[in-house]
Structure formats: C-alpha cells, structure tokens
C-alpha cells in the first residue's frame, strides 16, 4: 500500500504534538460527552482544521476514533465485569442503548450480549462484581481522585498534613 504524501499529510505530521493532546483527551475522557469543539480546543485549532488534520494523521475521523475507543472499553467491561449491557453502554459514554448496540455490532460483528456470552463460554463468569466497577467509577467530590486532572503538583511538594482538633 502506497500512501500519497499530500500537503495535509505533511501538515498533520507538523501538528502531531497538538493532535496527540486531543487524542489523549479522547483516551482519558472517552466516557464524557466529547464534541468536536472540545477536541479541537484541546489541540488549539478550529474544529474544521482539526478534523482534517486528525484524519490525515491517524487515518480516521475524531468521532470514529472516539467511538472505537468506547467500543474497546465496552468489550473489556463485557469480558471482565458483571454489569448489564445497559450499564456498560452508559459507562463508556453512549447516550442510547440502540446506538451502542448498532455500533458494537457494526465494529465487532456481534451484539454486546452475544459477545459477552462467547466470553463467558471461553473464560467463565466475569471476575469483577458490577457493584465494584460502579463504586470505583463513581466520582467522589472529597476523595483523593477529586480534581486530579486539574491540579498540577510538582514532585517536590509535600502533601498537607491534617490539623488535629483539640478536644476539651
């Protein structure tokens, strides 16, 4: 297969660091409602320029990459977690069970339920209880993970020690 080198392909290679930031956003926040504006904003480009450059660099549109990433994560959850197909659909970022099932069948070649049944037949019951997955993925506003992507800490920082209350 010979790839024609076009201006867009050469330009996409120049833009690769910015496109990687957008792809990292998709990989990190695939379960969130991401639109083209958010992805383009992460790269620092207009939505149209970003879409053309991303497609030239990675061979698929940003939306196709996001959908494929969501389906990959859904396949993992179907194999390893004891969750319903509906729960997995919403956990990976789809807003509709119908669109999830249709895209899953289109990309994988079988429905999510058939995929799970095959996985269970090969490896047995999923090892992770669904309640654990739901508890782990639930945001905790006061927890250790809260704000981890927005707060930048240097390695030399020492965590704040909690103050002990004096009881009288």
């Amino acid at each position: 297969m010979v790839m024609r080198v076009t201006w867009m392909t050469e330009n996409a290679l120049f833009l690769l660091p910015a496109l990687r930031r957008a792809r990292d956003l998709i990989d990190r926040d695939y379960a969130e409602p991401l639109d083209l504006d958010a992805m383009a904003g992460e790269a620092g480009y207009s939505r149209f320029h970003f879409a053309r450059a991303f497609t030239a660099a990675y061979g698929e549109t940003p939306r196709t990459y996001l959908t494929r990433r969501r389906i990959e994560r859904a396949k993992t959850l179907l194999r390893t977690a004891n969750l319903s197909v509906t729960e997995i659909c919403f956990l990976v970022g789809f807003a509709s069970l119908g669109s999830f099932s249709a895209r899953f069948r289109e990309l994988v070649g079988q429905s999510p339920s058939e995929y799970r049944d095959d996985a269970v037949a090969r490896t047995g019951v999923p090892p992770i209880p669904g309640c654990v997955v739901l508890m782990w993925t639930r945001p905790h506003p006061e927890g250790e993970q809260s704000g981890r992507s927005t707060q930048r800490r240097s390695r030399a920082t020492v965590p704040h020690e909690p103050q002990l209350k004096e009881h009288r």
Side-chain angles (χ1 to χ4, degrees), residues 73-84 87-88 91 116 120 123-137:
R73 179 64 178 140
K75 286 171 61 177
T76 301
L77 288 171
L78 286 165
R79 283 190 315 270
T80 60
N82 189 13
L83 293 169
S84 72
E87 289 170 322
I88 291 172
L91 273 176
R116 168 178 280 150
V120 168
T123 61
V125 178
I128 304 171
C131 60
V132 172
V133 174
L134 292 175
M135 181 180 68
W136 182 256
T137 59

Side-chain angles (χ1 to χ4, degrees), residues 125-164:
V125 178
I128 304 171
C131 60
V132 172
V133 174
L134 292 175
M135 181 180 68
W136 182 256
T137 59
R138 186 181 73 214
H140 297 280
E142 301 300 322
E144 185 177 311
Q145 293 182 350
S146 174
R148 69 177 178 204
S149 60
T150 57
Q151 296 174 351
R152 303 285 184 219
R153 295 184 189 157
S154 68
R155 291 180 185 239
T157 341
V158 177
H160 176 67
E161 294 291 327
Q163 298 288 329
L164 296 176

Side-chain angles (χ1 to χ4, degrees), residues 21-153:
R21 284 194 307 273
R23 194 179 68 180
D24 289 345
L25 171 76
I26 296 170
D27 290 340
R28 181 180 62 243
D29 295 340
Y30 65 87
E32 301 300 319
L34 291 173
D35 62 2
L36 190 58
D37 289 325
M39 294 180 235
E42 186 71 19
Y45 295 108
S46 75
R47 59 187 292 168
F48 303 109
H49 182 68
F50 169 72
R52 286 189 304 270
F54 190 97
T55 302
Y58 296 114
E60 60 187 345
T61 66
R63 176 61 55 192
T64 302
Y65 181 81
L66 173 61
T67 300
R68 188 170 52 79
R69 180 69 183 98
R70 287 174 171 170
I71 295 297
E72 288 169 358
R73 179 64 178 140
K75 286 171 61 177
T76 301
L77 288 171
L78 286 165
R79 283 190 315 270
T80 60
N82 189 13
L83 293 169
S84 72
V85 172
T86 304
E87 289 170 322
I88 291 172
C89 161
F90 294 121
L91 273 176
V92 298
F94 281 90
S96 156
L97 181 60
S99 63
F100 168 69
S101 296
R103 292 296 290 154
F104 194 95
R105 181 179 291 279
E106 183 181 317
L107 293 173
V108 179
Q110 53 188 173
S111 73
S113 298
E114 292 168 342
Y115 183 83
R116 168 178 280 150
D117 292 344
D118 286 351
V120 168
R122 281 191 316 272
T123 61
V125 178
I128 304 171
C131 60
V132 172
V133 174
L134 292 175
M135 181 180 68
W136 182 256
T137 59
R138 186 181 73 214
H140 297 280
E142 301 300 322
E144 185 177 311
Q145 293 182 350
S146 174
R148 69 177 178 204
S149 60
T150 57
Q151 296 174 351
R152 303 285 184 219
R153 295 184 189 157

